[in-house]
Amino acid sequence: AQRVTQPEKLLSVFKGAPVELKCNYSYSGSPELFWYVQYSRQRLQLLLRHISRESIKGFTADLNKGETSFHLKKPFAQEEDSAMYYCALSRYSGGGADGLTFGKGTHLIIQP
Amino acid sequence: DAGVTQSPTHLIKTRGQQVTLRCSPKSGHDTVSWYQQALGQGPQFIFQYYEEEERQRGNFPDRFSGHQFPNYSSELNVNALLLGDSALYLCASSSPGPGETQYFGPGTRLLVL
């Protein structure tokens, strides 16, 4: 069975500092990995997915199959980045519409 | 387009009762997935409906059942409610196929007393 682990429940950094949200996964196949974000009083929305290799709002994430990780990074945090971040896995590449396995989430707080 | 809509927003039930939650997908979407999000946890996949049939199912008991209508809207039914069923229930819609992603609704918060 697949599993997604986000080791930090809470991460607090200062504005302008680099941010790294950790995500590790376990799955024997070739999964697709996603980061979803939930801003205060808003619904869950897709931030980025590894196959598109895009940078969204300054965030990037690289899939490391050797370490089974998909950490989310941003070089300079902004206050509007404060939100709940969830890492999620689909069992196959191109499986964005598949039933997703989510981690427990990391609450990111950007201090002024 | 209002996106994915869910009703009701909040619901209180007692143990042993049955509940029905409703979801209307985003315009143009034909696939609906349901997730349960307990407090402090990430969403957990319950099941997915496509062409009015259950296409995938997560690790949830048979007390959880669903339905999809010809207009692609969907219902989630939970029988014999337990205290542990208290959670936020999220609906997500998408089109099937590679490259597609899921759009989430605001959720229905269910409290079982």
Side-chain angles (χ1 to χ4, degrees):
Chain A
Q2 59 269 33
R3 178 176 289 184
V4 175
T5 303
Q6 294 179 250
E8 304 133 331
K9 285 184 79 170
L10 175 68
L11 183 63
S12 179
V13 301
F14 286 102
K15 178 182 169 182
V19 172
E20 183 178 44
L21 299 166
K22 291 184 168 52
C23 172
N24 289 90
Y25 68 92
S26 62
Y27 183 61
S28 56
S30 296
E32 183 171 1
L33 275 294
F34 305 81
W35 277 99
Y36 277 80
V37 62
Q38 187 167 27
Y39 300 103
S40 179
R41 287 186 284 278
Q42 293 187 29
R43 58 187 68 186
L44 198 60
Q45 58 186 287
L46 178 68
L47 180 62
L48 55 78
R49 58 195 298 177
H50 89 264
I51 60 169
S52 60
R53 304 186 69 81
E54 290 176 306
S55 172
I56 308 293
K57 299 186 179 184
F59 284 98
T60 58
D62 289 318
L63 181 62
N64 185 323
K65 293 185 178 179
E67 296 183 358
T68 60
S69 68
F70 188 56
H71 303 327
L72 183 68
K73 300 177 183 179
K74 185 170 183 177
F76 307 105
Q78 298 172 290
E79 287 185 68
E80 53 264 34
D81 296 329
S82 294
M84 198 73 190
Y85 290 80
Y86 294 96
C87 183
L89 174 154
S90 166
R91 294 166 299 167
Y92 56 89
S93 182
D98 191 26
L100 299 173
T101 300
F102 283 86
K104 292 186 178 183
T106 298
H107 187 188
L108 177 64
I109 297 174
I110 308 300
Q111 298 192 51
Chain B
D1 180 17
V4 179
T5 60
Q6 293 185 243
S7 63
T9 54
H10 295 83
L11 205 50
I12 300 175
K13 292 285 188 178
T14 56
R15 276 183 300 174
Q17 284 190 312
Q18 178 262 344
V19 69
T20 297
L21 311 182
R22 294 176 177 83
C23 171
S24 290
K26 183 177 165 64
S27 177
H29 286 176
D30 55 10
T31 302
V32 173
S33 301
W34 286 93
Y35 293 83
Q36 181 195 64
Q37 186 173 20
L39 203 59
Q41 304 293 315
Q44 270 196 286
F45 176 64
I46 303 174
F47 44 53
Q48 183 179 88
Y49 276 83
Y50 171 67
E51 292 189 340
E52 301 181 49
E53 295 208 354
E54 185 182 289
R55 192 169 78 155
Q56 298 176 52
R57 190 178 183 93
N59 189 25
F60 277 80
D62 292 345
R63 297 186 299 110
F64 289 77
S65 63
H67 188 76
Q68 187 178 35
F69 299 94
N71 67 353
Y72 309 123
S73 67
S74 177
E75 288 182 349
L76 164 66
N77 301 292
V78 187
N79 293 322
L81 283 167
L82 304 174
L83 296 179
D85 295 332
S86 295
L88 181 68
Y89 288 85
L90 296 170
C91 169
S93 75
S94 61
S95 296
E100 296 297 332
T101 59
Q102 296 181 44
Y103 290 78
F104 283 81
T108 293
R109 186 158 301 279
L110 172 64
L111 178 61
V112 182
L113 301 176

